[in-house]
Amino acid sequence: MSMGWNLSSSLPLLLLATILHHQLTAALPLSTNSRWIVKDGEGGERVKLSCVNWVSHLDAVIAEGLSKQGVDVISKKILDMGFNCVRLTYPLFLFTNDSVGSVTVRQSLRKLGLIESIAGFQANNPSLIDLPVIKAFQEVVASLDRNNVMMILDNQISKPGWCCSDFDGNGFFGDRYFDPEVWLKGLTKVATMFNNTTNVVGMSLRNELRGPRQNVSIWYRYMQKGAEVVHAANPNVLVILSGLSYDKDLSFIQTQDVNLTFINKLVFEAHWYGFSDSEDWETGNPNQVCSRVVDNIMSKSGFLLDKGYPLFISEWGVDQRGTNQNDNRYLNCFMAWAADHDLDWALWTLAGSYYLREGVVGMEEFYGALNWDWCEPRNSSFLEKISSIQSPFQGPGLSNTRPHKIIFHPATGLCVQRQSFFKPLTLGPCTEAEGWDYTQKKTLTIKGTYYCLQADGVGKKAKLGIICTDSSSKWEPISASKLHLSSKTNNGTVVCLDIDSENNIVTNICRCLTNDNMCDPASQWFKVINSTMGVGTESYSRVDAILQSLGANLLG
């Protein structure tokens, strides 16, 4: 099902996972090196977490989808879609309340009246149907482990059910279902149970703290205790701390660091959805909204990167039918931000449907990466788009070229590349992106050459030149979002980078800069980002070499 994006240059879906082949064989466990997650040990190479959330915390207390597909089939689908990691959610009571954990899969489904799901289990996972739900959870972990999928175990909620609201009794320490001492015992049990499971690389202590009880001093008291008990039980795992206000606020860390007995295992997490700012996306100019929302996120959680902590965006996502215009606008903004900061993340969600959600049997999940029957991706164009942010752009141990810039186009998830001096610049996979320098004189010059990007006129293809001193060779990010790259042609016309119907790079009159909320600037959004990964063109043709020599002579 298309999301309406023009993505004429795409990757075959079954080959998406090859982008991450070096990630999937990462030496585990993981640690942190400043803001990066890396392989454990001295000189560790960066490992970028590109995860998908697999829900296992709803009323049935069973990982979703197992009535539709075999557990190993689902694990392999995760890899086939390019993800290297699962954020596997669970309710605390699964591990702290025997009356929850000891119920068999069959009994749990029967109690909820899910007779069709029982039949599906018998067909697709007969070996799991009569296991206690806690054992079924262990079997899901074992499947992901043997298929070499990294896991972050996430305590989503205490009492099984859909998350979240301010008054569901699960929001903050001291709420009806959230006894901090029970929570600490549960974390210890989970960390101990999986301390020999190689691919369990992290534990997220609690999802979306919220509600009227939330309090910064209590957050420090118990989140530090939780971090310590997890580390004591399993010193190999990353310890992931969430913030307040539905995991949108970690601003208090600016003035008071957490105080822990261990180092190089601490990660923070945050959430960002389009619906959090839905009215703004609907009524505001996309440039101005993107700028305002990103500024807010940076002040609430993004600042942690500068403080030297990894920031894991553990939930983000969109309606993958592509019909929600607010989500589509948010997605382009998110893509630019995630690429610019080269973030680790977890998409919400894997589930194409649920056994039972909020009283609805078989509810379809339109944020799901898989379709209703868990057979195929819901939207292959979406997966192609996000494939660019599934692999790292930079980080410790990954430098196979000198630092350079690449020009990223968030609406397609592609990057600017070239074939030769005379052929037009176009969009293509970011793994083959052209490497650029962005100079103090605001010229974009191909790394190691005298070629610079030039504007030739409205509606004309952008070109490469070797005389780079006039206004058409200067590029400046404009608009509130700083996602328009503008130049001035030799006749004085201000233009912005754009793409045509074949994904060639052109220049056009800058659109949607301010005020207009109906205008979509997506085709003109570009982000110049840092990279140390391979440059698209390693060798130049004979004509290129001649022109490069000519440029050297002209420049004296």
Side-chain angles (χ1 to χ4, degrees):
M1 188 183 298
S2 173
M3 293 188 80
W5 298 308
N6 177 14
L7 205 64
S8 59
S9 177
S10 63
L11 298 172
L13 184 58
L14 293 178
L15 296 181
L16 282 173
T18 62
I19 297 171
L20 296 169
H21 65 91
H22 61 288
Q23 297 283 311
L24 300 177
T25 56
L28 303 175
L30 304 179
S31 291
T32 66
N33 176 358
S34 184
R35 60 141 296 184
W36 308 107
I37 294 170
V38 298
K39 297 176 184 177
D40 211 356
E42 188 174 342
E45 179 180 309
R46 186 194 175 185
V47 174
K48 181 171 182 175
L49 300 178
S50 55
C51 314
V52 64
N53 281 272
W54 192 351
V55 171
S56 188
H57 66 271
L58 299 191
D59 303 71
V61 203
I62 308 164
E64 301 293 330
L66 298 177
S67 64
K68 301 286 199 302
Q69 296 289 329
V71 61
D72 281 331
V73 172
I74 296 174
S75 295
K76 288 179 171 65
K77 284 181 186 294
I78 290 163
L79 295 180
D80 288 343
M81 291 188 291
F83 302 103
N84 64 4
C85 159
V86 159
R87 181 178 181 246
L88 184 62
T89 70
Y90 67 87
L92 183 67
F93 290 177
L94 175 62
F95 295 95
T96 61
N97 188 327
D98 286 342
S99 66
V100 174
S102 63
V103 172
T104 68
V105 170
R106 186 191 302 273
Q107 289 167 338
S108 179
L109 295 172
R110 182 180 292 142
K111 181 179 178 182
L112 296 170
L114 303 176
I115 306 305
E116 187 176 336
S117 292
I118 293 174
F121 254 91
Q122 289 173 325
N124 293 296
N125 287 289
S127 65
L128 303 184
I129 186 71
D130 289 313
L131 289 181
V133 291
I134 194 168
K135 294 291 186 183
F137 185 89
Q138 291 173 283
E139 287 301 312
V140 171
V141 170
S143 172
L144 292 165
D145 189 55
R146 64 177 166 263
N147 285 287
N148 209 15
V149 182
M150 292 182 288
M151 285 164 276
I152 291 165
L153 305 181
D154 166 63
N155 177 212
Q156 181 83 183
I157 201 166
S158 293
K159 182 177 182 289
W162 183 249
C163 181
C164 301
S165 79
D166 280 350
F167 303 102
D168 59 11
N170 291 278
F172 199 70
F173 305 105
D175 280 2
R176 180 180 180 186
Y177 303 116
F178 196 174
D179 181 328
E181 297 306 318
V182 173
W183 173 73
L184 292 170
K185 290 177 182 176
L187 290 178
T188 301
K189 184 172 181 179
V190 174
T192 303
M193 181 177 290
F194 299 107
N195 65 1
N196 291 317
T197 305
T198 303
N199 281 285
V200 172
V201 297
M203 282 184 57
S204 179
L205 301 192
R206 186 72 175 198
N207 179 70
E208 295 195 354
L209 295 166
R210 60 197 180 275
R213 289 181 185 269
Q214 60 184 337
N215 174 284
V216 170
S217 62
I218 294 175
W219 183 95
Y220 278 99
R221 180 194 307 170
Y222 287 117
M223 292 301 269
Q224 289 175 165
K225 285 185 177 181
E228 294 289 2
V229 300
V230 166
H231 185 72
N234 185 350
N236 286 326
V237 294
L238 299 171
V239 178
I240 305 173
L241 305 188
S242 60
L244 300 175
S245 301
Y246 291 83
D247 213 355
K248 293 186 292 186
D249 186 9
L250 284 155
S251 59
F252 45 88
I253 306 295
Q254 293 189 62
T255 54
Q256 181 183 347
D257 268 326
V258 293
N259 182 16
L260 300 173
T261 61
F262 59 91
I263 59 173
N264 298 335
K265 291 290 184 179
L266 178 61
V267 176
F268 289 94
E269 65 177 308
H271 294 175
W272 180 19
Y273 287 105
F275 56 69
S276 300
D277 310 282
S278 58
E279 185 174 337
D280 287 346
W281 289 115
E282 186 171 349
T283 61
N285 172 271
N287 282 296
Q288 294 166 315
V289 175
C290 183
S291 172
R292 185 165 61 249
V293 174
V294 166
D295 284 349
N296 180 62
I297 290 170
M298 291 303 294
S299 69
K300 295 292 182 66
S301 60
F303 70 90
L304 288 159
L305 299 171
D306 292 330
K307 280 180 70 74
Y309 293 111
L311 179 63
F312 175 49
I313 307 304
S314 58
E315 287 187 25
W316 69 277
V318 294
D319 183 335
Q320 292 192 29
R321 292 172 295 182
T323 55
N324 186 320
Q325 189 60 38
N326 293 346
D327 267 4
N328 295 345
R329 290 179 171 188
Y330 144 82
L331 177 59
N332 292 330
C333 182
F334 176 87
M335 288 284 292
W337 182 67
D340 186 28
H341 294 283
D342 203 1
L343 293 163
D344 302 271
W345 49 262
L347 177 74
W348 189 273
T349 174
L350 179 66
S353 57
Y354 301 102
Y355 308 119
L356 178 72
R357 174 182 151 183
E358 298 173 290
V360 179
V361 175
M363 178 187 284
E364 187 162 9
E365 173 59 271
F366 296 115
Y367 277 54
L370 293 172
N371 59 13
W372 183 86
D373 60 9
W374 292 63
C375 285
E376 301 293 338
R378 181 174 297 276
N379 192 317
S380 58
S381 293
F382 172 80
L383 293 177
E384 289 160 359
K385 175 169 176 169
I386 68 169
S387 67
S388 56
I389 61 170
Q390 287 179 314
S391 53
F393 294 112
Q394 57 182 321
L398 295 182
S399 302
N400 55 21
T401 66
R402 289 176 296 166
H404 58 275
K405 308 287 186 182
I406 59 177
I407 305 175
F408 180 69
H409 189 250
T412 57
L414 302 174
C415 289
V416 176
Q417 58 180 225
R418 68 163 183 148
Q419 295 170 299
S420 75
F421 185 88
F422 293 113
K423 292 184 179 180
L425 294 164
T426 187
L427 293 178
C430 291
T431 50
E432 302 169 16
E434 195 61 66
W436 303 82
D437 281 325
Y438 188 45
T439 71
Q440 290 184 339
K441 294 181 179 180
K442 299 181 179 178
T443 60
L444 280 162
T445 306
I446 291 181
K447 189 84 174 176
T449 79
Y450 295 102
Y451 304 156
C452 63
L453 181 65
Q454 294 182 328
D456 198 25
V458 175
K460 294 186 176 181
K461 291 181 173 64
K463 64 180 184 178
L464 294 174
I466 52 177
I467 309 298
C468 306
T469 56
D470 61 13
S471 63
S472 69
S473 301
K474 300 185 188 304
W475 296 90
E476 191 167 2
I478 61 169
S479 75
S481 68
K482 301 299 183 186
L483 293 174
H484 285 80
L485 281 176
S486 73
S487 186
K488 186 179 292 186
T489 65
N490 290 330
N491 68 7
T493 304
V494 175
V495 293
C496 282
L497 276 193
D498 205 341
I499 59 172
D500 65 15
S501 60
E502 296 179 342
N503 279 348
N504 293 313
I505 308 301
V506 298
T507 53
N508 279 313
I509 298 298
C510 304
R511 299 194 316 272
C512 317
L513 299 183
T514 58
N515 300 325
D516 187 351
N517 71 313
M518 300 301 292
C519 188
D520 184 3
S523 71
Q524 292 191 344
W525 275 6
F526 290 83
K527 188 69 179 180
V528 179
I529 64 177
N530 295 317
S531 178
T532 59
M533 301 306 287
V535 178
T537 306
E538 296 292 348
S539 61
Y540 308 122
S541 68
R542 186 168 180 272
V543 174
D544 277 355
I546 292 170
L547 288 167
Q548 186 172 329
S549 176
L550 175 62
N553 292 331
L554 288 170
L555 292 170

